[in-house]
Amino acid sequence: MKGFWLCLLYYAAIGVISQLIGPALPREWFDENKFPYRPYNWEKGGKIYQKIGIQYWKDLVPDMSKIDKHMVRKSLQTQADSAHIYRLLQETCVAELVHWILMLLGLWSCRLWHTGGFILWIFYALIGHVPFILIQRYNRPRLRRLYGTLQKREMRKKACES
């Protein structure tokens, strides 16, 4: 049982640390058009994720931006201009990276608890990270389309004003 509690403590610690590091990462490091964030053909613009019903459950998972007021809100109602949507695109990249790193760091639990660490890690990865990675990959193509639409609209508006 000691190993189990060590694993949970470890997962909590890396989770807290990620809440400090994630927001501190420079957003200019993240480009949704480049590896590993770019959409892949097999994702079919995010439609592949609809086969697992992501559109029904994605809003039911916890959203740290609702808890931590320093994080960028993931809501489109707050500011629907291209700059805000571009920031959301970057945030999907940051969130995906953080979940991948946490999932990989979680493998250390196998050393903390030799008898059950791997099984606990699988649960940790499948429940705590894979759904969030899928949500980022599902939302990103939709945000990219919205970003393009808003950019065109803003350019037409500027052209009409001048």
Side-chain angles (χ1 to χ4, degrees):
M1 255 346 240
K2 179 183 172 187
F4 173 78
W5 293 110
L6 278 172
C7 289
L8 289 185
L9 184 62
Y10 174 69
Y11 291 148
I14 62 175
V16 168
I17 292 168
S18 76
Q19 287 302 309
L20 300 172
I21 294 172
L25 295 172
R27 295 315 188 243
E28 60 270 8
W29 289 0
F30 298 92
D31 184 345
E32 81 282 357
N33 296 308
K34 293 186 178 167
F35 177 85
Y37 311 109
R38 72 172 184 262
Y40 299 100
N41 291 337
W42 61 266
E43 291 177 297
K44 301 182 189 315
K47 287 187 170 94
I48 191 78
Y49 302 112
Q50 292 177 347
K51 292 191 184 297
I52 59 170
I54 197 167
Q55 66 275 25
Y56 303 115
W57 56 262
K58 72 178 183 72
D59 294 325
L60 300 175
V61 300
D63 178 356
M64 283 304 294
S65 72
K66 292 179 181 174
I67 298 166
D68 185 348
K69 300 303 176 197
H70 296 98
M71 293 181 78
V72 174
R73 289 294 306 232
K74 307 307 186 278
S75 170
L76 294 179
Q77 291 85 6
T78 56
Q79 185 181 2
D81 64 0
S82 65
H84 181 70
I85 300 305
Y86 186 73
R87 180 66 190 263
L88 288 178
L89 278 165
Q90 290 175 315
E91 293 298 319
T92 65
C93 298
V94 172
E96 183 178 343
L97 176 68
V98 167
H99 281 285
W100 276 112
I101 289 172
L102 285 172
M103 194 164 51
L104 292 172
L105 288 175
L107 277 169
W108 186 257
S109 66
C110 298
R111 296 198 42 101
L112 297 173
W113 186 26
H114 298 289
T115 57
F118 186 71
I119 292 169
L120 187 62
W121 175 78
I122 289 173
F123 181 76
Y124 170 75
L126 291 177
I127 302 300
H129 299 293
V130 170
F132 297 95
I133 292 168
L134 296 178
I135 290 168
Q136 306 315 315
R137 298 212 56 89
Y138 171 71
N139 284 336
R140 197 171 301 125
R142 298 165 63 228
L143 286 169
R144 286 177 74 184
R145 286 189 295 272
L146 179 58
Y147 176 68
T149 300
L150 289 175
Q151 271 194 316
K152 288 176 189 172
R153 186 180 299 159
E154 290 166 4
M155 282 193 262
R156 279 193 307 261
K157 186 177 177 184
K158 279 184 181 177
C160 289
E161 290 173 353
S162 36

PDB file of all heavy atoms in Angstrom, residues 6 22 25 28 34 37 40 61 70 74 78 86-87 102 109 127 131 134 138 140 143-144 146 149 159 161:
ATOM      1  N   LEU A   6       2.653   6.522  -2.496  1.00  0.00           N
ATOM      2  CA  LEU A   6       3.783   7.234  -3.092  1.00  0.00           C
ATOM      3  C   LEU A   6       3.453   7.664  -4.526  1.00  0.00           C
ATOM      4  O   LEU A   6       3.767   8.786  -4.927  1.00  0.00           O
ATOM      5  CB  LEU A   6       5.036   6.359  -3.097  1.00  0.00           C
ATOM      6  CG  LEU A   6       5.839   6.291  -1.808  1.00  0.00           C
ATOM      7  CD1 LEU A   6       6.934   5.238  -1.931  1.00  0.00           C
ATOM      8  CD2 LEU A   6       6.434   7.648  -1.483  1.00  0.00           C
ATOM      9  N   GLY A  22       3.286  25.213 -17.086  1.00  0.00           N
ATOM     10  CA  GLY A  22       2.454  25.382 -18.289  1.00  0.00           C
ATOM     11  C   GLY A  22       2.157  26.832 -18.621  1.00  0.00           C
ATOM     12  O   GLY A  22       2.429  27.292 -19.737  1.00  0.00           O
ATOM     13  N   LEU A  25       5.225  28.945 -19.997  1.00  0.00           N
ATOM     14  CA  LEU A  25       5.836  28.655 -21.295  1.00  0.00           C
ATOM     15  C   LEU A  25       5.506  29.758 -22.297  1.00  0.00           C
ATOM     16  O   LEU A  25       4.340  30.148 -22.426  1.00  0.00           O
ATOM     17  CB  LEU A  25       5.353  27.308 -21.830  1.00  0.00           C
ATOM     18  CG  LEU A  25       5.757  26.079 -21.033  1.00  0.00           C
ATOM     19  CD1 LEU A  25       5.049  24.837 -21.575  1.00  0.00           C
ATOM     20  CD2 LEU A  25       7.263  25.892 -21.067  1.00  0.00           C
ATOM     21  N   GLU A  28       4.824  31.832 -28.046  1.00  0.00           N
ATOM     22  CA  GLU A  28       5.389  31.860 -29.397  1.00  0.00           C
ATOM     23  C   GLU A  28       6.133  30.565 -29.739  1.00  0.00           C
ATOM     24  O   GLU A  28       6.466  30.331 -30.892  1.00  0.00           O
ATOM     25  CB  GLU A  28       6.281  33.093 -29.624  1.00  0.00           C
ATOM     26  CG  GLU A  28       7.459  33.205 -28.709  1.00  0.00           C
ATOM     27  CD  GLU A  28       7.167  33.979 -27.409  1.00  0.00           C
ATOM     28  OE1 GLU A  28       6.011  34.308 -27.129  1.00  0.00           O
ATOM     29  OE2 GLU A  28       8.132  34.225 -26.675  1.00  0.00           O
ATOM     30  N   LYS A  34       2.593  23.132 -36.986  1.00  0.00           N
ATOM     31  CA  LYS A  34       3.832  22.356 -37.010  1.00  0.00           C
ATOM     32  C   LYS A  34       3.718  21.120 -36.116  1.00  0.00           C
ATOM     33  O   LYS A  34       2.884  21.056 -35.219  1.00  0.00           O
ATOM     34  CB  LYS A  34       5.009  23.226 -36.559  1.00  0.00           C
ATOM     35  CG  LYS A  34       5.309  24.347 -37.543  1.00  0.00           C
ATOM     36  CD  LYS A  34       6.542  25.102 -37.177  1.00  0.00           C
ATOM     37  CE  LYS A  34       6.806  26.168 -38.232  1.00  0.00           C
ATOM     38  NZ  LYS A  34       7.774  27.122 -37.810  1.00  0.00           N
ATOM     39  N   TYR A  37       1.706  19.320 -33.298  1.00  0.00           N
ATOM     40  CA  TYR A  37       0.354  19.840 -33.101  1.00  0.00           C
ATOM     41  C   TYR A  37      -0.486  19.877 -34.371  1.00  0.00           C
ATOM     42  O   TYR A  37      -1.705  19.902 -34.298  1.00  0.00           O
ATOM     43  CB  TYR A  37       0.426  21.256 -32.494  1.00  0.00           C
ATOM     44  CG  TYR A  37       1.348  21.300 -31.313  1.00  0.00           C
ATOM     45  CD1 TYR A  37       2.577  21.952 -31.396  1.00  0.00           C
ATOM     46  CD2 TYR A  37       1.028  20.645 -30.134  1.00  0.00           C
ATOM     47  CE1 TYR A  37       3.441  21.968 -30.322  1.00  0.00           C
ATOM     48  CE2 TYR A  37       1.892  20.653 -29.060  1.00  0.00           C
ATOM     49  CZ  TYR A  37       3.094  21.313 -29.161  1.00  0.00           C
ATOM     50  OH  TYR A  37       3.954  21.320 -28.104  1.00  0.00           O
ATOM     51  N   TYR A  40      -3.373  15.753 -38.592  1.00  0.00           N
ATOM     52  CA  TYR A  40      -2.945  14.685 -39.492  1.00  0.00           C
ATOM     53  C   TYR A  40      -4.127  14.265 -40.362  1.00  0.00           C
ATOM     54  O   TYR A  40      -5.283  14.393 -39.958  1.00  0.00           O
ATOM     55  CB  TYR A  40      -2.401  13.505 -38.688  1.00  0.00           C
ATOM     56  CG  TYR A  40      -1.200  13.915 -37.871  1.00  0.00           C
ATOM     57  CD1 TYR A  40      -1.320  14.203 -36.509  1.00  0.00           C
ATOM     58  CD2 TYR A  40       0.045  14.086 -38.464  1.00  0.00           C
ATOM     59  CE1 TYR A  40      -0.224  14.615 -35.769  1.00  0.00           C
ATOM     60  CE2 TYR A  40       1.143  14.505 -37.731  1.00  0.00           C
ATOM     61  CZ  TYR A  40       0.995  14.763 -36.384  1.00  0.00           C
ATOM     62  OH  TYR A  40       2.077  15.190 -35.655  1.00  0.00           O
ATOM     63  N   VAL A  61     -15.645  17.093 -18.756  1.00  0.00           N
ATOM     64  CA  VAL A  61     -14.383  16.876 -18.047  1.00  0.00           C
ATOM     65  C   VAL A  61     -13.954  18.177 -17.377  1.00  0.00           C
ATOM     66  O   VAL A  61     -14.329  19.267 -17.822  1.00  0.00           O
ATOM     67  CB  VAL A  61     -13.277  16.326 -18.981  1.00  0.00           C
ATOM     68  CG1 VAL A  61     -13.685  15.001 -19.599  1.00  0.00           C
ATOM     69  CG2 VAL A  61     -12.917  17.328 -20.053  1.00  0.00           C
ATOM     70  N   HIS A  70      -6.071  32.823 -13.572  1.00  0.00           N
ATOM     71  CA  HIS A  70      -4.942  33.347 -14.338  1.00  0.00           C
ATOM     72  C   HIS A  70      -4.824  32.685 -15.710  1.00  0.00           C
ATOM     73  O   HIS A  70      -4.100  33.170 -16.568  1.00  0.00           O
ATOM     74  CB  HIS A  70      -3.634  33.166 -13.563  1.00  0.00           C
ATOM     75  CG  HIS A  70      -3.612  33.946 -12.286  1.00  0.00           C
ATOM     76  ND1 HIS A  70      -3.899  33.371 -11.068  1.00  0.00           N
ATOM     77  CD2 HIS A  70      -3.376  35.256 -12.046  1.00  0.00           C
ATOM     78  CE1 HIS A  70      -3.821  34.300 -10.135  1.00  0.00           C
ATOM     79  NE2 HIS A  70      -3.503  35.450 -10.695  1.00  0.00           N
ATOM     80  N   LYS A  74     -11.388  29.204 -21.802  1.00  0.00           N
ATOM     81  CA  LYS A  74     -11.571  28.439 -23.030  1.00  0.00           C
ATOM     82  C   LYS A  74     -12.909  28.744 -23.694  1.00  0.00           C
ATOM     83  O   LYS A  74     -13.302  28.115 -24.644  1.00  0.00           O
ATOM     84  CB  LYS A  74     -11.480  26.926 -22.745  1.00  0.00           C
ATOM     85  CG  LYS A  74     -10.230  26.490 -21.996  1.00  0.00           C
ATOM     86  CD  LYS A  74      -8.960  26.956 -22.637  1.00  0.00           C
ATOM     87  CE  LYS A  74      -7.726  26.424 -21.996  1.00  0.00           C
ATOM     88  NZ  LYS A  74      -7.249  27.072 -20.832  1.00  0.00           N
ATOM     89  N   THR A  78     -16.218  35.061 -24.408  1.00  0.00           N
ATOM     90  CA  THR A  78     -15.500  36.151 -23.761  1.00  0.00           C
ATOM     91  C   THR A  78     -14.988  37.184 -24.752  1.00  0.00           C
ATOM     92  O   THR A  78     -15.020  38.361 -24.475  1.00  0.00           O
ATOM     93  CB  THR A  78     -14.314  35.618 -22.930  1.00  0.00           C
ATOM     94  OG1 THR A  78     -13.471  34.858 -23.776  1.00  0.00           O
ATOM     95  CG2 THR A  78     -14.800  34.787 -21.766  1.00  0.00           C
ATOM     96  N   TYR A  86      -6.698  32.849 -31.892  1.00  0.00           N
ATOM     97  CA  TYR A  86      -5.304  32.426 -32.078  1.00  0.00           C
ATOM     98  C   TYR A  86      -4.684  32.038 -30.735  1.00  0.00           C
ATOM     99  O   TYR A  86      -3.969  31.042 -30.640  1.00  0.00           O
ATOM    100  CB  TYR A  86      -4.478  33.514 -32.763  1.00  0.00           C
ATOM    101  CG  TYR A  86      -3.092  33.040 -33.093  1.00  0.00           C
ATOM    102  CD1 TYR A  86      -2.882  32.137 -34.127  1.00  0.00           C
ATOM    103  CD2 TYR A  86      -1.994  33.466 -32.348  1.00  0.00           C
ATOM    104  CE1 TYR A  86      -1.611  31.666 -34.417  1.00  0.00           C
ATOM    105  CE2 TYR A  86      -0.723  33.003 -32.643  1.00  0.00           C
ATOM    106  CZ  TYR A  86      -0.542  32.105 -33.676  1.00  0.00           C
ATOM    107  OH  TYR A  86       0.724  31.632 -33.954  1.00  0.00           O
ATOM    108  N   ARG A  87      -4.982  32.806 -29.699  1.00  0.00           N
ATOM    109  CA  ARG A  87      -4.479  32.471 -28.358  1.00  0.00           C
ATOM    110  C   ARG A  87      -5.037  31.128 -27.898  1.00  0.00           C
ATOM    111  O   ARG A  87      -4.325  30.322 -27.290  1.00  0.00           O
ATOM    112  CB  ARG A  87      -4.838  33.592 -27.371  1.00  0.00           C
ATOM    113  CG  ARG A  87      -4.363  33.347 -25.959  1.00  0.00           C
ATOM    114  CD  ARG A  87      -2.823  33.359 -25.888  1.00  0.00           C
ATOM    115  NE  ARG A  87      -2.336  32.909 -24.606  1.00  0.00           N
ATOM    116  CZ  ARG A  87      -1.985  33.703 -23.614  1.00  0.00           C
ATOM    117  NH1 ARG A  87      -2.053  35.010 -23.755  1.00  0.00           N
ATOM    118  NH2 ARG A  87      -1.547  33.202 -22.486  1.00  0.00           N
ATOM    119  N   LEU A 102       3.135  14.992 -18.688  1.00  0.00           N
ATOM    120  CA  LEU A 102       2.674  14.396 -17.433  1.00  0.00           C
ATOM    121  C   LEU A 102       2.461  12.892 -17.569  1.00  0.00           C
ATOM    122  O   LEU A 102       2.792  12.125 -16.665  1.00  0.00           O
ATOM    123  CB  LEU A 102       1.380  15.074 -16.960  1.00  0.00           C
ATOM    124  CG  LEU A 102       1.542  16.452 -16.367  1.00  0.00           C
ATOM    125  CD1 LEU A 102       0.178  17.092 -16.128  1.00  0.00           C
ATOM    126  CD2 LEU A 102       2.338  16.398 -15.074  1.00  0.00           C
ATOM    127  N   SER A 109       6.115   6.136 -11.798  1.00  0.00           N
ATOM    128  CA  SER A 109       5.376   5.434 -10.751  1.00  0.00           C
ATOM    129  C   SER A 109       5.681   3.936 -10.753  1.00  0.00           C
ATOM    130  O   SER A 109       5.542   3.276  -9.726  1.00  0.00           O
ATOM    131  CB  SER A 109       3.873   5.666 -10.904  1.00  0.00           C
ATOM    132  OG  SER A 109       3.396   5.081 -12.098  1.00  0.00           O
ATOM    133  N   ILE A 127      -7.343   7.879 -17.917  1.00  0.00           N
ATOM    134  CA  ILE A 127      -8.362   8.741 -17.312  1.00  0.00           C
ATOM    135  C   ILE A 127      -7.888  10.188 -17.206  1.00  0.00           C
ATOM    136  O   ILE A 127      -8.642  11.121 -17.459  1.00  0.00           O
ATOM    137  CB  ILE A 127      -8.759   8.218 -15.904  1.00  0.00           C
ATOM    138  CG1 ILE A 127      -9.278   6.787 -15.980  1.00  0.00           C
ATOM    139  CG2 ILE A 127      -9.778   9.144 -15.243  1.00  0.00           C
ATOM    140  CD1 ILE A 127     -10.503   6.601 -16.838  1.00  0.00           C
ATOM    141  N   PRO A 131      -7.982  11.595 -22.523  1.00  0.00           N
ATOM    142  CA  PRO A 131      -9.167  12.372 -22.925  1.00  0.00           C
ATOM    143  C   PRO A 131      -8.855  13.843 -23.195  1.00  0.00           C
ATOM    144  O   PRO A 131      -9.391  14.436 -24.140  1.00  0.00           O
ATOM    145  CB  PRO A 131     -10.121  12.239 -21.731  1.00  0.00           C
ATOM    146  CG  PRO A 131      -9.673  11.013 -21.021  1.00  0.00           C
ATOM    147  CD  PRO A 131      -8.192  10.930 -21.235  1.00  0.00           C
ATOM    148  N   LEU A 134      -7.084  14.207 -26.543  1.00  0.00           N
ATOM    149  CA  LEU A 134      -8.064  14.052 -27.625  1.00  0.00           C
ATOM    150  C   LEU A 134      -8.904  15.311 -27.786  1.00  0.00           C
ATOM    151  O   LEU A 134      -9.194  15.732 -28.917  1.00  0.00           O
ATOM    152  CB  LEU A 134      -8.966  12.840 -27.363  1.00  0.00           C
ATOM    153  CG  LEU A 134      -8.275  11.475 -27.353  1.00  0.00           C
ATOM    154  CD1 LEU A 134      -9.281  10.380 -27.038  1.00  0.00           C
ATOM    155  CD2 LEU A 134      -7.558  11.209 -28.663  1.00  0.00           C
ATOM    156  N   TYR A 138      -9.244  17.509 -31.094  1.00  0.00           N
ATOM    157  CA  TYR A 138     -10.576  17.683 -31.679  1.00  0.00           C
ATOM    158  C   TYR A 138     -10.893  19.173 -31.867  1.00  0.00           C
ATOM    159  O   TYR A 138     -11.415  19.577 -32.898  1.00  0.00           O
ATOM    160  CB  TYR A 138     -11.620  17.041 -30.758  1.00  0.00           C
ATOM    161  CG  TYR A 138     -13.048  17.337 -31.132  1.00  0.00           C
ATOM    162  CD1 TYR A 138     -13.633  16.777 -32.266  1.00  0.00           C
ATOM    163  CD2 TYR A 138     -13.834  18.174 -30.341  1.00  0.00           C
ATOM    164  CE1 TYR A 138     -14.952  17.043 -32.605  1.00  0.00           C
ATOM    165  CE2 TYR A 138     -15.143  18.442 -30.664  1.00  0.00           C
ATOM    166  CZ  TYR A 138     -15.698  17.878 -31.793  1.00  0.00           C
ATOM    167  OH  TYR A 138     -17.006  18.142 -32.125  1.00  0.00           O
ATOM    168  N   ARG A 140      -8.778  21.803 -32.022  1.00  0.00           N
ATOM    169  CA  ARG A 140      -7.833  22.611 -32.794  1.00  0.00           C
ATOM    170  C   ARG A 140      -8.282  22.850 -34.241  1.00  0.00           C
ATOM    171  O   ARG A 140      -8.277  24.005 -34.691  1.00  0.00           O
ATOM    172  CB  ARG A 140      -6.434  22.000 -32.741  1.00  0.00           C
ATOM    173  CG  ARG A 140      -5.362  22.979 -33.157  1.00  0.00           C
ATOM    174  CD  ARG A 140      -3.954  22.462 -32.892  1.00  0.00           C
ATOM    175  NE  ARG A 140      -3.765  22.175 -31.494  1.00  0.00           N
ATOM    176  CZ  ARG A 140      -3.365  20.987 -31.021  1.00  0.00           C
ATOM    177  NH1 ARG A 140      -3.078  19.999 -31.839  1.00  0.00           N
ATOM    178  NH2 ARG A 140      -3.224  20.814 -29.732  1.00  0.00           N
ATOM    179  N   LEU A 143     -11.091  25.354 -34.241  1.00  0.00           N
ATOM    180  CA  LEU A 143     -10.606  26.702 -33.933  1.00  0.00           C
ATOM    181  C   LEU A 143      -9.850  27.294 -35.121  1.00  0.00           C
ATOM    182  O   LEU A 143      -9.944  28.496 -35.382  1.00  0.00           O
ATOM    183  CB  LEU A 143      -9.708  26.682 -32.697  1.00  0.00           C
ATOM    184  CG  LEU A 143     -10.413  26.499 -31.360  1.00  0.00           C
ATOM    185  CD1 LEU A 143      -9.403  26.236 -30.248  1.00  0.00           C
ATOM    186  CD2 LEU A 143     -11.289  27.706 -31.033  1.00  0.00           C
ATOM    187  N   ARG A 144      -9.109  26.457 -35.848  1.00  0.00           N
ATOM    188  CA  ARG A 144      -8.376  26.939 -37.026  1.00  0.00           C
ATOM    189  C   ARG A 144      -9.346  27.471 -38.079  1.00  0.00           C
ATOM    190  O   ARG A 144      -9.097  28.506 -38.688  1.00  0.00           O
ATOM    191  CB  ARG A 144      -7.531  25.819 -37.627  1.00  0.00           C
ATOM    192  CG  ARG A 144      -6.308  25.490 -36.803  1.00  0.00           C
ATOM    193  CD  ARG A 144      -5.547  24.345 -37.379  1.00  0.00           C
ATOM    194  NE  ARG A 144      -4.844  24.819 -38.574  1.00  0.00           N
ATOM    195  CZ  ARG A 144      -4.148  24.050 -39.354  1.00  0.00           C
ATOM    196  NH1 ARG A 144      -4.039  22.779 -39.104  1.00  0.00           N
ATOM    197  NH2 ARG A 144      -3.526  24.538 -40.394  1.00  0.00           N
ATOM    198  N   LEU A 146     -12.414  28.632 -37.511  1.00  0.00           N
ATOM    199  CA  LEU A 146     -12.985  29.856 -36.960  1.00  0.00           C
ATOM    200  C   LEU A 146     -11.992  31.014 -37.061  1.00  0.00           C
ATOM    201  O   LEU A 146     -12.362  32.140 -37.418  1.00  0.00           O
ATOM    202  CB  LEU A 146     -13.409  29.644 -35.509  1.00  0.00           C
ATOM    203  CG  LEU A 146     -14.007  30.849 -34.786  1.00  0.00           C
ATOM    204  CD1 LEU A 146     -15.234  31.375 -35.522  1.00  0.00           C
ATOM    205  CD2 LEU A 146     -14.349  30.475 -33.346  1.00  0.00           C
ATOM    206  N   THR A 149     -11.937  32.294 -40.622  1.00  0.00           N
ATOM    207  CA  THR A 149     -13.173  33.034 -40.900  1.00  0.00           C
ATOM    208  C   THR A 149     -13.128  34.421 -40.277  1.00  0.00           C
ATOM    209  O   THR A 149     -13.460  35.421 -40.929  1.00  0.00           O
ATOM    210  CB  THR A 149     -14.394  32.255 -40.359  1.00  0.00           C
ATOM    211  OG1 THR A 149     -14.443  30.973 -40.995  1.00  0.00           O
ATOM    212  CG2 THR A 149     -15.685  33.008 -40.606  1.00  0.00           C
ATOM    213  N   ALA A 159     -11.093  46.963 -44.682  1.00  0.00           N
ATOM    214  CA  ALA A 159     -11.124  47.465 -46.068  1.00  0.00           C
ATOM    215  C   ALA A 159     -12.316  48.401 -46.281  1.00  0.00           C
ATOM    216  O   ALA A 159     -12.192  49.411 -46.972  1.00  0.00           O
ATOM    217  CB  ALA A 159     -11.184  46.302 -47.051  1.00  0.00           C
ATOM    218  N   GLU A 161     -13.708  50.215 -43.947  1.00  0.00           N
ATOM    219  CA  GLU A 161     -13.509  51.419 -43.142  1.00  0.00           C
ATOM    220  C   GLU A 161     -12.515  52.380 -43.782  1.00  0.00           C
ATOM    221  O   GLU A 161     -12.520  53.565 -43.491  1.00  0.00           O
ATOM    222  CB  GLU A 161     -13.033  51.051 -41.734  1.00  0.00           C
ATOM    223  CG  GLU A 161     -14.110  50.388 -40.903  1.00  0.00           C
ATOM    224  CD  GLU A 161     -13.581  49.876 -39.567  1.00  0.00           C
ATOM    225  OE1 GLU A 161     -12.354  49.912 -39.328  1.00  0.00           O
ATOM    226  OE2 GLU A 161     -14.411  49.410 -38.767  1.00  0.00           O
TER     227      GLU A 161
END
